[in-house]
RNA sequence: GGUGCGGUAGCCAAGUGGUAAGGCAAGGGUCUGCAAAACCCUUAUUCGUCGGUUCGAUCCCGACUCGCACCUCCA
């Protein structure tokens, strides 16, 4: 069966395919670069990456835009506090974000769109909304009048019909006509960055950038729009209101949302002391691919409980996969094909694909790989795994790694050269042969200290970096 | 209060109207000079509670209960 995704709009799992020319036009809500991104953010960004990879594995081409919000209240506040310009401040965290993404092996979207590079387009869109009567002004700011847009609430499935305009307006929203209304354009304030545009001097509201950049780079109707589940309301609801008012066409065919991440069962928050950036986790000695694997292995629509026990578990699980690959590369195999193992490889590959096609069920996809792994290891132990079984094993691993990408260790920063390692291993083997176990154990310890693990097998000694 | 999601072994986590995947941990074992590493085996008569439908329910329906998210900035 082809790829199926859960569409928040219809609240159903539906077959997914792009509308035209086999290219998926997708937009994902990226970071606001006011600080280092945390692991909760990366749960979502890892999900985007899995989605990208599986869409491509499904035979589609990608045209993917992700925004970088580089102007907003928090950024302005922090930049001012640090006596930096907006550009200086956001450059730091934009780079940090991209570095973190690279560490997590996240593919770069085809376009990264910065809000500040699309101000004129936003102003122009706001102007059009004003002309078409979707807005009103208050103290130089422009607000979207939600009551003008029928269908508001169709994504979040909220029914606002019983809501009396103004009835629940908070005191700090006194300048809005309706609690649901939101700012498209915020009038300039002294000491804050602003842009002089056709709708006045000021800066854009949060929601407008996504509508404008999505339409600018991808066209009026997207195939797919993704984000964290918390963005459904109001952000994505507002994007729909803006975009569909602008174009008169459906904004996105599929809306896909990833669930939240918790830390040790609790919502991550600075006050609880369980707030971690990716950098925090890496500084504790975990490798990026371990984090990636943990975030990827829980299906995206299920809340993920991030724990350090879970990280340790992910680390061991990856090592088992890597070790299997190492085994394939170093074992001396008899010629021929083991039909049962070959068949299992075929079934495992099909099972992996079917699980991924089923709304990206990564947990089930991995299970398919592990079941094969056990059978193959048993066959390897028994000497029944044959040269003709290598291709099937590698095909499965490659398919798995095309999605999860955890097999290749991150480049070690230090460590001895391969030649030195081989020399020491040769010396150890000689020492063992002459029953000089003291010397052989010394060498083993020395290698371990340099991060090299030795494994004695019946096919000889093999090694790997820690 | 409204909307939505979820409660499956010590932890993480799939799943189906026909009798519980997988990972980690734990225990046992193989291998080994000893280790390490690796590999294998074992580990839920039971799927929040109570009813209902059914020949049969963890899976369908209802009630209850617990937890969570969104409804305000938030991935």
């Amino acid at each position: 069966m082809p790829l199926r995704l859960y569409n928040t709009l219809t609240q159903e799992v539906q077959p997914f395919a792009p509308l035209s020319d086999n290219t998926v036009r997708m937009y994902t809500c990226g970071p606001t670069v006011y600080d280092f991104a945390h692991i909760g953010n990366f749960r979502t960004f890892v999900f985007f990456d899995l989605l990208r990879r599986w869409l491509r594995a499904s035979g589609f081409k990608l045209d993917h835009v992700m925004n970088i919000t580089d102007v907003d209240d928090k950024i302005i506040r922090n930049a001012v506090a640090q006596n930096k310009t907006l550009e200086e401040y956001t450059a730091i965290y934009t780079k940090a974000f991209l570095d973190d993404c690279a560490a997590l092996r996240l593919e770069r979207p085809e376009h990264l769109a910065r809000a500040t590079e699309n101000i004129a387009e936003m102003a122009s869109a706001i102007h059009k909304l004003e002309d078409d009567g979707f807005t009103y002004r208050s103290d130089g700011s422009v607000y979207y009048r939600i009551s003008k847009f029928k269908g508001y609430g169709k994504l979040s499935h909220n029914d606002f019909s019983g809501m009396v305009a103004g009835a629940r307006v908070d005191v700090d929203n006194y300048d809005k006509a309706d609690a649901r209304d939101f700012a498209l354009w915020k009038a300039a304030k002294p000491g804050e960055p602003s842009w002089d545009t056709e709708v006045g001097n000021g800066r854009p509201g949060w929601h407008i950038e996504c509508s404008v950049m999505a339409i600018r780079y991808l066209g009026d109707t997207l195939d797919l729009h993704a984000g964290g589940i918390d963005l459904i309301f109001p952000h994505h609801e507002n994007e729909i209101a803006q975009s569909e008012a602008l174009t008169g066409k459906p904004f996105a065919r599929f809306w896909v949302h990833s669930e939240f991440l918790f830390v040790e069962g609790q919502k991550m928050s600075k006050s609880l002391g369980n707030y971690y950036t990716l950098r925090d986790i890496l500084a504790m000695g975990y490798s990026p691919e371990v984090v990636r694997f943990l975030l990827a292995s829980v299906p995206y629509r299920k809340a993920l409980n991030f724990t350090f026990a879970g990280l340790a578990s992910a680390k061991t699980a990856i090592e088992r996969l890597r070790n299997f690959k190492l085994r394939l590369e170093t074992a001396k195999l008899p010629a021929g094909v083991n039909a049962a193992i070959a068949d299992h490889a075929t079934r495992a590959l099909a099972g992996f694909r079917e699980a991924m096609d089923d709304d990206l069920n990564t947990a089930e996809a991995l299970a398919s790989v592990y079941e094969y792994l056990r059978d193959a290891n048993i066959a390897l132990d028994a000497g029944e795994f044959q040269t003709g079984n290598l291709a099937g094993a590698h095909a499965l691993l490659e398919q798995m790694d095309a999605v999860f990408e955890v097999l290749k260790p991150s480049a070690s920063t230090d460590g001895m050269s391969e030649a030195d390692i081989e020399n020491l291993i040769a010396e150890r083997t000689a020492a063992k042969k002459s029953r000089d176990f003291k010397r052989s154990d010394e060498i083993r310890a020395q290698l371990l200290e340099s991060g090299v693990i030795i494994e004695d097998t019946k096919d000889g000694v093999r090694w790997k970096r820690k």
Side-chain angles (χ1 to χ4, degrees), chain A residues 101-398:
Chain A
C101 287
L104 285 174
R105 306 173 178 186
L106 305 183
E107 294 183 349
R108 278 285 274 271
E110 281 65 33
H111 306 280
L112 288 175
R114 287 171 175 78
T116 55
E117 291 172 357
N118 292 271
I119 301 284
E121 287 76 10
M122 289 187 233
S124 165
I126 292 166
H127 194 101
K128 182 169 191 303
L129 288 172
E130 287 198 287
D131 284 350
D132 294 344
F134 285 97
T135 69
Y136 58 91
R137 284 186 175 254
S138 173
D139 294 331
S141 294
V142 182
Y143 294 91
Y144 192 105
R145 193 186 296 279
I146 288 297
S147 60
K148 281 283 183 182
F149 181 74
K150 62 178 194 302
Y152 193 72
K154 67 183 175 186
L155 180 69
S156 56
H157 302 98
N158 280 319
D159 179 10
F160 295 99
S161 61
M163 214 168 167
V164 180
R168 287 208 215 155
V169 176
D170 292 338
V171 284
D172 59 346
N173 287 335
Y174 59 86
D175 52 353
K176 297 197 293 189
D178 184 320
R180 303 171 300 170
D181 293 349
F182 58 91
L184 290 163
W185 188 257
K186 299 181 178 181
K189 288 185 195 162
E192 290 192 351
S194 65
W195 288 261
D196 205 9
T197 71
E198 62 188 280
V199 290
N201 189 244
R203 61 189 170 89
W206 173 37
H207 311 294
I208 192 67
E209 69 177 80
C210 289
S211 289
V212 167
M213 298 192 294
I215 292 169
R216 178 179 181 186
Y217 295 110
L218 298 171
D220 291 349
T221 298
L222 315 175
D223 289 307
L224 194 158
H225 191 132
I229 194 168
D230 53 315
L231 294 184
I232 293 173
F233 190 90
H235 183 54
H236 288 163
E237 202 72 75
N238 291 348
E239 279 189 49
I240 290 174
Q242 294 167 333
S243 304
E244 299 192 355
L246 280 168
T247 68
K249 295 175 193 160
F251 181 44
R253 300 170 52 236
F254 274 74
W255 287 88
V256 186
H257 294 97
S258 59
E259 253 290 353
F260 244 67
L261 172 145
F262 298 87
V263 174
E264 306 288 351
Q266 291 185 295
K267 185 165 179 175
M268 184 164 50
S269 77
K270 287 185 175 167
S271 60
L272 284 171
N274 63 356
Y275 182 97
Y276 300 107
T277 64
L278 178 65
R279 281 137 202 268
D280 294 333
I281 302 293
L282 299 186
M284 293 164 91
Y286 296 96
S287 62
E289 62 269 26
V290 167
V291 178
R292 177 182 169 86
F293 188 80
L294 178 59
L295 298 182
S297 58
V298 177
Y300 77 93
R301 282 206 295 136
K302 169 141 184 156
L304 189 158
N305 189 15
F306 184 96
T307 65
F308 288 95
L311 270 179
S313 168
K315 182 172 189 288
T316 312
I318 291 173
E319 277 168 9
R320 183 146 166 247
L321 290 166
R322 287 178 178 171
N323 213 70
F324 177 69
K325 185 160 184 259
L326 186 64
R327 236 186 142 175
L328 292 180
E329 287 160 356
T330 56
K332 294 193 177 75
L333 303 175
V337 182
N338 180 320
I341 294 299
D343 178 58
H344 196 165
T346 306
R347 278 186 287 117
L349 187 58
F352 183 92
R353 288 177 176 154
E354 175 51 30
M356 289 302 293
D357 278 344
D358 183 14
D359 200 26
L360 268 40
N361 190 338
T362 50
E364 198 174 354
L366 284 173
S368 183
V369 174
Y370 281 112
E371 282 177 65
Y372 168 78
L373 215 69
R374 187 187 55 229
D375 263 14
N377 270 322
I378 292 170
L380 280 160
D381 282 350
E384 291 167 2
F385 191 100
Q386 299 171 287
T387 53
N389 294 112
L390 281 172
H394 282 301
L396 179 63
L397 286 180
E398 277 162 27

Side-chain angles (χ1 to χ4, degrees), chain A residues 425 428-429 432 444 454-463:
Chain A
I425 288 175
R428 172 171 174 271
T429 304
K432 276 180 72 177
R444 184 166 70 200
I454 288 189
E455 297 176 3
D456 293 332
T457 76
K458 62 180 161 60
D459 295 329
V461 183
R462 70 181 178 217
W463 62 274

